[in-house]
Amino acid sequence: MANREVAEEKIRVRPMEAEDISSVLEIDHRLSGAQRASTYIEPSGEVLGGEFSLSFVAEVGEQCVGFILARIARAGETFVDTVLIQILGVDPDYQRRGVATELVNSLVKTCQSRGLGAVRIMLREPDTQLHGFFKGMDFRRSELVEYAKILKEG
């Protein structure tokens, strides 16, 4: 699919397979510290997952260095088929090298080829780095606004 140089190494993006789950969990574990930016907020209470054809992994050599999990959801003002990015993760050693861009571009191209209406992601307001990343990829804020009444912290 997509290819881009990463400091002399090539990024290869391909559809996720069941065998990739352990690598994805390993990257997610590395990211789960204090510097993790949350890209996953699931208002409907559904679990992560969906068809693998909308999720991708990025590899450098034989190593998985990033992933994007996405699924089809009925969302938005017009209730068109929309793809919701659930989690985007890049190994800390490979961040700021184009891996996330390649993953998002692969997802968008797949969605366009399937005639899907939109790709959405919900971000926490403080995650300004991710806001800037997605704005730079021509995503824009939608008309949807979430309100929450927190009953229990933590």
Side-chain angles (χ1 to χ4, degrees), residues 6 9 60 63 65 90-100:
V6 174
E9 299 177 276
V60 171
Q63 180 182 353
V65 298
V90 175
D91 184 301
D93 294 338
Y94 288 86
Q95 291 179 356
R96 298 195 170 281
R97 296 183 183 187
V99 174

Side-chain angles (χ1 to χ4, degrees), residues 61-118:
E62 298 297 315
Q63 180 182 353
C64 179
V65 298
F67 64 92
I68 188 167
L69 301 180
R71 68 173 179 79
I72 294 177
R74 302 286 274 171
E77 312 78 41
T78 60
F79 294 100
V80 298
D81 282 337
T82 296
V83 172
L84 179 64
I85 297 173
Q86 295 176 299
I87 297 179
L88 172 63
V90 175
D91 184 301
D93 294 338
Y94 288 86
Q95 291 179 356
R96 298 195 170 281
R97 296 183 183 187
V99 174
T101 300
E102 293 294 321
L103 287 163
V104 173
N105 283 338
S106 292
L107 174 63
V108 168
K109 287 177 188 171
T110 298
C111 293
Q112 288 172 326
S113 72
R114 291 179 61 177
L116 297 167

Side-chain angles (χ1 to χ4, degrees), residues 21-76:
I21 298 300
S22 61
S23 296
V24 166
L25 291 174
E26 183 178 321
I27 292 170
D28 188 61
H29 179 72
R30 289 195 69 199
L31 295 171
S32 62
Q35 296 203 3
R36 180 182 192 185
S38 176
T39 59
Y40 175 69
I41 301 171
E42 181 57 67
S44 68
E46 294 179 22
V47 296
L48 281 172
E51 59 181 285
F52 277 140
S53 66
L54 292 174
S55 295
F56 296 88
V57 294
E59 296 174 322
V60 171
E62 298 297 315
Q63 180 182 353
C64 179
V65 298
F67 64 92
I68 188 167
L69 301 180
R71 68 173 179 79
I72 294 177
R74 302 286 274 171

